[in-house]
Amino acid sequence: MAKIAFLLLCHRDPAAIIRQAEGLTGAGDYVAIHFDARAPAAAFAQIVEGTRDNPNITVVRKRVKCGWGEWSLVRATLNTIDTALDTFPRATHFYMVSGDCRPIKSAEHAHAVLDARDTDYIESFDFFTSDWIKTGMKEDRLIYRHLVNERKNKTLFYGLLGLQRKLKLERKVPADIDVMIGSQWWCLRRATLEAICAFLRERPDVLRFFSTTWIPDETFFQTLVRHLVPRSEIDSRTLTFLMFTDYGMPATFYDDHYDLLLSQDFLFARKISPEAATLKEGLDTLWTSGRRDFPIAGDGRRLFTFLTQRGREGRRFAQRFWERESTLGRDRELVVIVCKKYHVAKRLAQSVRDHQIMPAVDYLFDEEATPMPDLGGIESTLAKRHRHRRALVRMLYRRMDTDALAICLDPVQFDLLQDFYADRAAIRTLLVDCDYDANYLEGHAARIGLIGDQTPRTTIDRLMPTVAQDFATESLRIREADLPHIHRIQQSAPPDANAAVLAEVFGVDAETAQALAETPFLFDD
């Protein structure tokens, strides 16, 4: 059976660290604590004294002053590994955690996961070809020597970097090493760590190389594990659930995130807020609960992104240069049917086609499967359609031999609507306001991956008002944008009222407009 030795790197709140370590050993596992050498001596003494009577806890005596992005974090980890290997000979797995981490499953569940596969869990992606690094330095992390902390002395850090670039002091990665990158929160087997320690004794050049790289805690172990362990024995994922904000900082969890955390397919989570006392207590109790029933819901990261960055996903903030120079045509008309319920807009578009008012294309910018004529490949993917949106619509006019066209659009595509209004063509927008009941809101959340079959009811209930507000905000944003020729029909309005609007939008007689308004089952779900 798996026995875990937790490698706990921390720097503050000794009383909380003692409680955390006691909780993690409550199911028979082990903890090796590295307490930052920058912390007061009295705080370190408190940890030593507070854990003295627990044989499953050891405190690393060879402490390091740690700084973000520095080699010191790796050095502290290596010291903690040495202590844990020597002190806990029965430990089978070694799991990196911080003082901000807490379990989101029971110890029994965690042991079962580790027993099920003879595997190392560590993110390990190719440093040069993957897109793991989203912003900032990439190759410069490795090929130049970094001797000072960027956060503490930006002027000196970037001054030394610039000097090395000027003097062409690039260095090469050790020839037999393929550098990998990934999260520092890993879980490795004893044999893997023993192999790493042996390798480092034989290869001091590798140790020297990484000791002057920038943010080596994201590359050092990730690289050595891939170098020493067969690929079939590596699961390139972390067992610790963490998310990042818009600014690249770890998201923080609070008391009301308990259900969300338990439904994620991970064993631990970070960062737990220092103020989330109820959450910490609940998760600490969970670790020794013996519980095995953990329904796994949808992607928590997707949910977090939805709640914090609504509308940003896939949005472009600037036009492509060829779009600025293109136009739909001064004498052409475009009717944009904007509706969140796709089936409603599609029924209206079909009715427009049936009455031969003008060609109408369904959600060409929202659904890749929308039927489209052959436009030379520009229509083949959503990415291409968005990249050449005006050119795409211009080609539709030509292909359909018309100067009037209707298209359907999700209200989330506000930037695309603004782009059309910047054109010389005559643009009219028809907002179709629908009623949304609880079943539809939940179905929408499931379709876009916010919730799954196992999502807790409490999470769904908290999410639904946000989804409903999101719908309302998207429509309101269009209505308040001061764009010309915005018209609106409503599910709650009588057909006669909607017919008057439709007559103006499509330029049809009253009889045809009434037929459009009375399209069979138009607003039915």
Side-chain angles (χ1 to χ4, degrees):
M1 179 179 176
K3 300 280 282 186
I4 306 170
F6 292 99
L7 310 175
L8 175 54
L9 270 60
C10 46
H11 63 280
R12 63 182 177 188
D13 200 349
I17 295 302
I18 294 170
R19 289 194 299 271
Q20 182 181 6
E22 291 286 352
L24 291 174
T25 58
D29 294 299
Y30 312 105
V31 177
I33 302 173
H34 179 278
F35 198 63
D36 198 324
R38 298 182 190 276
F44 178 68
Q46 183 180 346
I47 290 178
V48 172
E49 183 60 31
T51 60
R52 187 186 304 278
D53 296 331
N54 189 330
N56 285 14
I57 301 175
T58 187
V59 180
V60 179
R61 303 289 175 162
K62 196 174 181 180
R63 299 160 64 207
V64 178
K65 294 180 179 179
C66 297
W68 186 90
E70 295 179 0
W71 170 251
S72 56
L73 285 173
V74 177
R75 183 69 268 171
T77 304
L78 289 171
N79 291 353
T80 309
I81 289 170
D82 288 340
T83 299
L85 286 172
D86 291 341
T87 309
F88 306 125
R90 296 182 60 199
T92 60
H93 294 77
F94 296 76
Y95 197 130
M96 276 283 295
V97 293
S98 74
D100 296 323
C101 296
R102 287 296 184 278
I104 56 175
K105 299 291 186 292
S106 68
E108 283 75 7
H109 179 90
H111 294 155
V113 168
L114 298 180
D115 282 333
R117 299 172 61 194
D118 190 15
T119 298
D120 292 312
Y121 293 91
I122 181 170
E123 283 190 349
S124 183
F125 305 102
D126 189 278
F127 183 92
F128 295 100
T129 62
S130 73
D131 63 348
W132 199 88
I133 299 175
K134 302 298 184 184
T135 60
M137 293 191 300
K138 190 168 184 178
E139 290 84 354
D140 288 359
R141 289 191 187 192
L142 304 178
I143 64 175
Y144 297 112
R145 296 164 181 82
H146 302 280
L147 307 174
V148 298
N149 190 293
E150 188 264 355
R151 289 191 172 182
K152 295 177 182 177
N153 197 329
K154 288 184 180 291
T155 301
L156 183 56
F157 180 91
Y158 289 107
L160 290 173
L161 178 60
L163 181 63
Q164 292 181 79
R165 288 171 176 166
K166 184 177 181 179
L167 298 177
K168 300 185 183 303
L169 297 178
E170 299 92 343
R171 59 176 175 173
K172 294 182 178 181
V173 176
D176 60 333
I177 296 292
D178 293 323
V179 179
M180 300 290 154
I181 192 166
S183 169
Q184 71 179 106
W185 309 107
W186 40 254
C187 179
L188 302 178
R189 298 167 296 175
R190 171 179 284 274
T192 298
L193 287 185
E194 290 174 340
I196 289 174
C197 293
F199 176 81
L200 293 177
R201 288 191 293 268
E202 298 173 1
R203 294 290 302 274
D205 61 310
V206 174
L207 203 61
R208 285 195 302 270
F209 172 80
F210 279 102
S211 67
T212 53
T213 59
W214 181 235
I215 321 183
D217 53 307
E218 294 179 350
T219 56
F220 181 75
F221 291 100
Q222 296 77 1
T223 298
L224 296 189
V225 170
R226 282 289 289 269
H227 185 71
L228 298 169
V229 177
R231 184 65 184 88
S232 60
E233 297 179 20
I234 302 172
D235 191 331
S236 190
R237 59 167 294 202
T238 174
L239 295 176
T240 298
F241 180 59
L242 67 162
M243 301 183 297
F244 291 91
T245 67
D246 292 355
Y247 305 99
M249 301 300 292
T252 301
F253 298 109
Y254 296 92
D255 286 339
D256 58 350
H257 287 127
Y258 182 83
D259 290 330
L260 169 69
L261 294 178
L262 261 63
S263 64
Q264 302 310 309
D265 190 16
F266 296 85
L267 303 184
F268 277 71
R270 77 178 304 267
K271 303 172 68 170
I272 308 299
S273 170
E275 290 78 34
T278 302
L279 178 60
K280 287 183 178 179
E281 182 179 354
L283 296 178
D284 287 342
T285 302
L286 176 68
W287 180 249
T288 54
S289 68
R291 181 176 167 182
R292 292 292 189 96
D293 58 319
F294 291 99
I296 303 303
D299 189 342
R301 293 190 176 110
R302 182 191 294 269
L303 177 60
F304 178 80
T305 299
F306 170 79
L307 293 174
T308 57
Q309 298 176 297
R310 296 193 302 273
R312 291 191 181 185
E313 193 170 11
R315 180 174 297 178
R316 294 209 321 262
F317 291 90
Q319 298 173 349
R320 294 345 194 220
F321 72 90
W322 58 81
E323 290 180 2
R324 291 198 298 269
E325 300 301 324
S326 66
T327 178
L328 303 182
R330 187 185 300 275
D331 299 323
R332 284 175 172 155
E333 299 179 9
L334 179 66
V335 176
V336 185
I337 304 172
V338 178
C339 185
K340 198 67 181 180
K341 287 188 175 180
Y342 288 15
H343 59 278
V344 174
K346 288 179 180 179
R347 286 173 189 153
L348 181 58
Q350 184 60 51
S351 190
V352 169
R353 290 191 291 267
D354 290 343
H355 287 87
Q356 299 182 349
I357 298 170
M358 63 178 67
V361 183
D362 293 344
Y363 287 84
L364 69 164
F365 293 106
D366 301 284
E367 293 185 319
E368 200 156 280
T370 296
M372 298 273 288
D374 183 1
L375 302 176
I378 193 175
E379 82 290 349
S380 59
T381 67
L382 282 177
K384 286 185 178 181
R385 296 177 199 173
H386 277 272
R387 194 177 305 128
H388 309 286
R389 45 194 176 185
R390 286 197 201 177
L392 173 73
V393 176
R394 190 172 64 251
M395 293 173 72
L396 282 173
Y397 282 112
R398 294 173 181 171
R399 185 72 171 77
M400 296 179 172
D401 192 23
T402 182
D403 286 329
L405 178 68
I407 65 172
C408 300
L409 194 69
D410 191 306
V412 77
Q413 303 281 8
F414 179 61
D415 66 315
L416 196 153
L417 185 64
Q418 285 181 306
D419 185 48
F420 285 141
Y421 269 96
D423 195 84
R424 302 178 208 172
I427 311 296
R428 295 189 296 278
T429 295
L430 175 64
L431 284 173
V432 183
D433 282 354
C434 302
D435 299 333
Y436 305 104
D437 60 19
N439 289 334
Y440 183 84
L441 294 174
E442 289 186 22
H444 174 78
R447 283 191 295 275
I448 65 176
L450 292 179
I451 61 175
D453 294 339
Q454 303 298 327
T455 301
R457 186 73 243 173
T458 54
T459 300
I460 295 175
D461 291 341
R462 285 200 302 268
L463 178 63
M464 288 308 103
T466 305
V467 175
Q469 182 59 40
D470 211 47
F471 284 6
T473 300
E474 290 171 358
S475 179
L476 185 63
R477 179 174 55 179
I478 295 173
R479 287 159 53 191
E480 294 183 344
D482 199 28
L483 299 172
H485 308 300
I486 299 290
H487 307 267
R488 182 161 65 120
I489 63 173
Q490 299 172 278
Q491 182 173 351
S492 58
D496 289 351
N498 286 339
V501 176
L502 292 169
E504 186 174 358
V505 171
F506 290 102
V508 295
D509 57 44
E511 182 179 355
T512 304
Q514 190 70 30
L516 291 179
E518 294 177 348
T519 297
F521 314 110
L522 178 59
F523 289 103
D524 289 357
D525 288 335

